[in-house]
Amino acid sequence: LVDMRRQWGNLHEMYETHVESMYELQPLPKWVRDPDSSFSAAWDLTSVALLLYVAITVPLRAGFEIDVELWTFAFFFDAFVDIYFIVDLIINFRTAFYDKDGMREERPWRMASHYLRGWFTIDLVSCLPLGYIGYFMDDEGDGDSSNFRAIKAFRLIRLSKMLRLARIKRILTKYGNNVNLQSYINIGFTMFIIIFLAHMLACFYYMIGTSDETLITGEVAIGWVKQQDWCLQADAQTPCNDTSA
């Protein structure tokens, strides 16, 4: 017995049972985000709030041609929103996930590969800082119609931020399996879709109504907004629906 203990060590420690299981989730390595942590829940909640802001402001500014002035509160808040989603893109490379077998994957190259094959392309396009290029463009120009059309086309490019709304589907998929939240999530998502589509249609309907296009015949097609007595000239003497003006 003395020789056995000297060679094998303490037999009690060798054969005692442990409550820990090899399938128990171990603490994550440093700088790896746990998808089930309270930090992830707070981060996702903040993302939803900022996505609602994007869903309201982006179509509104594109449809009504509203430009944010440089160095204003709106400018800094938009910069904060853009930085937030850029940070979110980086964090997703270090976020653990569950594979098809229900096992949590925390290896760095696996997490990066999973994100690259998933939402990375959409997130990258939505984070491109296209809106800031407009501050270097001359809105006044020299009256050139091609320059004016380029500016209008560039404003429509800003709609790429709408791709960020795909994150809502990702968040709903994550929390949709919760029985206590499932009914509330379905009702909230349905209401969001209805209100968002109505908001989009209203903004683009106004944008179409304010656009004047030159036809092949040389005539100018006036939008419905100006035709309904919403003239740009407050002291106009001629009705807006009179195209002879």
Side-chain angles (χ1 to χ4, degrees), residues 29-218:
K30 191 176 181 180
W31 305 114
V32 174
R33 184 177 70 166
D34 185 358
D36 299 325
S37 64
S38 57
F39 171 78
S40 294
W43 186 270
D44 293 337
L45 183 62
T46 305
S47 299
V48 172
L50 296 181
L51 289 173
L52 293 177
Y53 170 79
V54 171
I56 295 173
T57 58
V58 173
L60 183 66
R61 293 172 181 173
F64 290 83
E65 298 184 357
I66 301 175
D67 293 327
V68 178
E69 296 183 3
L70 195 63
W71 312 126
T72 58
F73 174 79
F75 171 81
F76 286 109
F77 189 81
D78 287 346
F80 165 76
V81 174
D82 294 336
I83 294 174
Y84 180 91
F85 287 112
I86 291 175
V87 173
D88 180 72
L89 184 146
I90 298 174
I91 291 179
N92 285 329
F93 280 100
R94 300 288 295 176
T95 301
F97 67 96
Y98 293 91
D99 58 17
K100 60 181 181 179
D101 297 325
M103 302 297 293
R104 190 178 66 185
E105 184 59 65
E106 58 191 43
R107 287 174 288 184
W109 66 275
R110 286 274 188 173
M111 292 185 294
S113 177
H114 178 263
Y115 183 52
L116 288 173
R117 289 184 285 104
W119 296 93
F120 171 74
T121 303
I122 297 177
D123 292 347
L124 179 63
V125 174
S126 65
C127 289
L128 294 177
L130 300 176
Y132 300 96
I133 303 177
Y135 294 105
F136 301 96
M137 299 178 64
D138 186 10
D139 288 343
E140 299 296 333
D142 54 357
D144 187 7
S145 60
S146 61
N147 185 36
F148 178 72
R149 291 181 179 179
I151 294 174
K152 292 181 68 69
F154 177 78
R155 287 172 177 169
L156 293 178
I157 294 177
R158 296 178 182 177
L159 293 174
S160 61
K161 289 185 178 181
M162 300 297 294
L163 293 175
R164 294 175 180 174
L165 298 180
R167 300 170 189 248
I168 293 182
K169 176 177 175 57
R170 190 187 320 171
I171 296 174
L172 293 178
T173 303
K174 177 179 177 181
Y175 296 99
N177 295 328
N178 191 321
V179 179
N180 297 327
L181 298 177
Q182 188 174 11
S183 59
Y184 298 101
I185 290 176
N186 294 334
I187 295 174
F189 183 69
T190 303
M191 294 179 61
F192 169 77
I193 290 296
I194 295 174
I195 297 174
F196 173 71
L197 291 179
H199 178 61
M200 284 278 293
L201 290 174
C203 292
F204 284 104
Y205 185 56
Y206 182 85
M207 181 180 66
I208 296 173
T210 56
S211 61
D212 296 340
E213 296 293 337
T214 302
L215 305 178
I216 300 178
T217 58

Side-chain angles (χ1 to χ4, degrees), residues 21-36:
S21 172
M22 63 178 295
Y23 297 102
E24 182 181 5
L25 295 178
Q26 301 298 322
L28 288 171
K30 191 176 181 180
W31 305 114
V32 174
R33 184 177 70 166
D34 185 358
D36 299 325

